[in-house]
Amino acid sequence: QVQLQESGGGLVQPGGSLRLSCVDSGTILSLGVMGWWREAPGKQRELVASITSGGTPNYGDFVEGRFTVSRDNAKKMVWLQMTNLRPEDTAVYYCNAGVTRYAANSLNRKPQPYWGQGTQVTVAS
């Protein structure tokens, strides 16, 4: 089983920073792809960032170098450091993980089977 729990969301002013954290408290010994997706009202859920167990990151096109994803395999944790936040970054951010390791990087950009409950990020002045 994989049980994901996010933390670190909140209200931040435009141009500010936030760091999201996610930990897996389940019984799986190691995870494959971990990452973050977001869903804004009226929009489809989209990839923010993912990272393989080997440390290869993938980012959504809108990130434009503002966010950094990282992970600790032993702790089964993934983080998302967000800087230069914009109002359009306002959304519920979901931790996402799977147990499969893919040879094709395109699959690392797909949603994985397990989700956290989400954490709200609001960027507003």
Side-chain angles (χ1 to χ4, degrees), residues 111-124:
Q112 305 301 307
Y114 302 100
W115 296 92
Q117 84 289 348
T119 185
Q120 177 70 45
V121 172
T122 302
V123 185

Side-chain angles (χ1 to χ4, degrees), residues 23-108:
V23 61
D24 170 33
S25 60
T27 57
I28 297 292
L29 293 180
S30 64
L31 295 170
V33 179
M34 300 184 76
W36 296 91
W37 291 65
R38 72 184 188 183
E39 187 171 338
K43 295 187 176 181
Q44 288 190 331
R45 195 171 294 192
E46 61 182 348
L47 172 69
V48 180
S50 67
I51 184 167
T52 69
S53 58
T56 299
N58 285 279
Y59 294 98
D61 291 341
F62 59 86
V63 170
E64 299 176 336
R66 300 178 297 130
F67 301 171
T68 302
V69 63
S70 58
R71 67 185 284 173
D72 183 318
N73 291 336
K75 295 180 178 179
K76 297 193 295 179
M77 293 190 69
V78 62
W79 296 273
L80 182 69
Q81 178 68 49
M82 302 186 289
T83 63
N84 194 18
L85 282 160
R86 305 165 180 166
E88 53 264 39
D89 294 317
T90 296
V92 178
Y93 283 69
Y94 295 92
C95 184
N96 181 240
V99 297
T100 304
R101 291 163 176 79
Y102 302 105
N105 189 55
S106 60
L107 296 175
N108 295 322

